[in-house]
Amino acid sequence: MKIGIFTEYFEHDKNSAGRHMSDLVKELSISSESIDVFTLYKHSNKSSFDELDNVEIHSLNVSLNAKNKSLSKRFFTELLISLRTFFVILRLKKLSHFDVLIWYSPTIFWGPIIKLLNFFKKSHKYLILRDIFPKWAIDLEILKKEGIKHKVLRAFENLQYRTADTIAIQTEGNISYFDDIPNTSNKIKILRNWYDSSPSEIHLPESICNKIPKNKKILLYAGNLGIAQDQELLLETIKKMQDQEEFIFLLVGLKDKDKHNVEKYSSMQGLSNLLILDSIDHKYMDALCRRSYIGIFSLDKRHTTHNIPGKFLQYLSTGLPVFGLCGKGDIVKLISDRGFGRTYLGNQADEAVEILKELSSDIENDRIDSASLKNYIDDELSTKSAVKHILESIS
């Protein structure tokens, strides 16, 4: 098979999507003749894929998260993604090259290039759908349902559904979203979020270790903390936990705007139990999780679609119990049924603190089995398992 992969994030992006897609390509390369990866950002670092003769990475040098970029500018930037990709593929003389086309959404703007490539050669078109956009933007009132922006975005969203032969969603809870979208029911497959939990012996560098108090229990939050993650509730919870001196909250990898907001709040409230670090390399994140006491994720309660955050999988892979601030969803049942930690479904920081204390009690009294957390990833969410599901769908 000759496979084309289209993804916003890849190897050198310090987020879960970049890691997911890098791991997926490595596993796919074992059973593929060739793989061409088209990704947005320009990476200057040495690539771990240099050793693989059948993988080529093509960077489009497009940044969607540039500092001070407005939503309108981002929209027009994304609008040009397929056009840029077309010219790259034209230059490579690969318009009729691919047997399989796999794209990772977000973004929703890969649809046109996938449809165009299928005109030159009939391929199996496999959509990996994670954040369901623009639905979540409507839920969070970022977009107006009857507005022109939403109508345009919905048109691109539906284009990728019409184009795809397989629509891979990560949880059963999102199946109902497609009830009112014509000709999609026979395309839906469940593809769980995957994670490569290969043991890592890499230790935290001294530059990071020196910033973390050695006598504190670390409550780790990794990744984005913006509108979709209910920043306000987490910060209020941190404030309410100040009297619990054995704990410190560690926030890692915030975007510049969110980091500024958190630092401003911390300064105004005089928070002594909050530490913020910039993004760190993936190879150090497992070590940081092992150094931590609890892993935290947060999702805005207004979300009506279901999401399994990448940070959640990373926590579990190292045996780190999880605490979730979230609304109702498949992830709540998963955590409860499997005994992975605790969740809080409300919006009161005082109540969230009590649930967090209960989780701490669970840990201290050995009611959390770290081995079962790791086994869940190894047995059910391995990258090898994800590739097997993909190959079965396209065969």
Side-chain angles (χ1 to χ4, degrees):
M1 285 184 302
K2 298 173 182 175
I3 301 177
I5 304 268
F6 303 80
T7 175
E8 176 179 345
Y9 300 109
F10 201 59
E11 183 183 19
H12 296 300
D13 294 303
K14 295 176 181 178
N15 56 25
S16 58
R19 178 167 181 169
H20 287 329
M21 293 308 292
S22 297
D23 291 342
L24 188 72
V25 169
K26 286 176 183 176
E27 188 65 33
L28 274 170
S29 69
I30 298 172
S31 52
S32 306
E33 178 183 342
S34 67
I35 298 179
D36 287 85
V37 180
F38 300 90
T39 182
L40 299 195
Y41 299 113
K42 183 176 180 60
H43 301 310
S44 57
N45 298 15
K46 180 178 174 61
S47 172
S48 63
F49 290 89
D50 290 344
E51 303 171 357
L52 300 178
D53 294 334
N54 62 337
V55 176
E56 293 186 34
I57 302 170
H58 312 283
S59 298
L60 304 178
N61 197 19
V62 176
S63 176
L64 300 183
N65 298 313
K67 192 174 182 179
N68 299 325
K69 178 169 283 189
S70 68
L71 290 177
S72 296
K73 287 183 178 179
R74 172 166 178 150
F75 168 76
F76 286 110
T77 300
E78 292 200 52
L79 203 59
L80 295 173
I81 287 174
S82 281
L83 184 62
R84 281 176 177 256
T85 310
F86 171 76
F87 285 118
V88 171
I89 296 174
L90 183 65
R91 189 179 69 246
L92 295 170
K93 299 180 180 179
K94 291 187 175 182
L95 287 177
S96 57
H97 177 77
F98 302 109
D99 303 306
V100 179
L101 301 169
I102 299 173
W103 72 106
Y104 186 96
S105 177
T107 170
I108 61 173
F109 290 94
W110 292 118
I113 186 61
I114 302 299
K115 191 172 182 65
L116 182 61
L117 288 174
N118 194 61
F119 174 79
F120 290 96
K121 181 178 180 178
K122 297 299 180 185
S123 310
H124 188 98
K125 302 171 293 298
Y126 193 100
L127 166 61
I128 300 175
L129 185 63
R130 288 306 176 245
D131 294 343
I132 297 183
F133 182 83
K135 182 66 174 72
W136 70 261
I138 294 293
D139 292 341
L140 273 57
E141 300 176 1
I142 298 172
L143 293 174
K144 294 180 180 179
K145 190 171 184 178
E146 302 304 322
I148 185 64
K149 289 182 181 179
H150 177 247
K151 293 182 186 301
V152 172
L153 292 172
R154 193 69 197 274
F156 277 94
E157 179 195 13
N158 287 332
L159 172 63
Q160 68 176 357
Y161 298 152
R162 291 195 304 271
T163 301
D165 296 308
T166 301
I167 302 172
I169 59 177
Q170 62 180 323
T171 174
E172 287 83 357
N174 285 329
I175 293 176
S176 61
Y177 177 75
F178 293 90
D179 288 347
D180 298 324
I181 302 178
N183 304 316
T184 56
S185 60
N186 64 334
K187 298 181 178 183
I188 303 298
K189 301 284 185 183
I190 303 297
L191 178 67
R192 308 286 180 200
N193 236 349
W194 59 91
Y195 193 84
D196 183 1
S197 58
S198 303
S200 170
E201 301 302 323
I202 296 176
H203 299 288
L204 282 174
E206 287 297 317
S207 59
I208 296 177
C209 287
N210 292 338
K211 296 177 181 178
I212 302 174
K214 291 181 171 58
N215 61 337
K216 299 284 188 179
K217 295 177 179 176
I218 298 173
L219 307 179
L220 174 65
Y221 183 97
N224 292 342
L225 183 58
I227 297 173
Q229 287 80 35
D230 201 348
Q231 182 181 119
E232 182 178 347
L233 177 59
L234 180 57
L235 291 178
E236 282 295 309
T237 302
I238 294 172
K239 177 183 174 182
K240 297 289 184 181
M241 282 283 287
Q242 279 202 97
D243 61 338
Q244 306 294 313
E245 295 183 358
E246 71 269 33
F247 299 108
I248 187 166
F249 287 82
L250 175 59
L251 277 53
V252 180
L254 307 186
K255 293 180 179 178
D256 288 344
K257 179 181 178 181
D258 299 323
K259 181 182 177 183
H260 174 76
N261 290 340
V262 172
E263 288 176 336
K264 182 178 179 181
Y265 179 89
S266 178
S267 176
M268 290 177 59
Q269 300 296 331
L271 300 185
S272 58
N273 62 338
L274 174 60
L275 179 63
I276 304 169
L277 294 180
D278 291 331
S279 296
I280 65 175
D281 197 293
H282 289 309
K283 65 184 179 183
Y284 298 128
M285 275 305 302
D286 286 349
L288 185 56
C289 287
R290 290 194 297 269
R291 169 73 176 80
S292 300
Y293 185 68
I294 290 171
I296 300 174
F297 70 89
S298 182
L299 297 170
D300 193 288
K301 311 298 182 299
R302 293 171 291 176
H303 284 294
T304 59
T305 53
H306 300 254
N307 190 290
I308 308 293
K311 62 175 71 71
F312 169 71
L313 303 183
Q314 184 153 39
Y315 299 153
L316 295 186
S317 73
T318 58
L320 185 63
V322 294
F323 174 64
L325 298 168
C326 51
K328 295 179 181 179
D330 287 354
I331 195 169
V332 175
K333 187 175 187 303
L334 175 63
I335 292 171
S336 175
D337 289 352
R338 301 276 188 147
F340 291 158
R342 299 254 183 165
T343 56
Y344 173 62
L345 311 185
N347 54 17
Q348 300 299 317
D350 287 328
E351 296 174 359
V353 167
E354 293 307 311
I355 302 296
L356 192 49
K357 289 179 182 178
E358 290 174 9
L359 175 54
S360 178
S361 176
D362 290 341
I363 296 170
E364 297 302 320
N365 290 286
D366 296 324
R367 291 193 288 265
I368 302 283
D369 181 9
S370 292
S372 71
L373 278 63
K374 297 177 184 178
N375 291 340
Y376 171 71
I377 300 294
D378 293 338
D379 297 343
E380 301 185 41
L381 299 182
S382 68
T383 309
K384 188 180 296 293
S385 175
V387 167
K388 180 182 177 182
H389 280 290
I390 292 172
L391 294 179
E392 288 174 349
S393 295
I394 65 181
S395 61

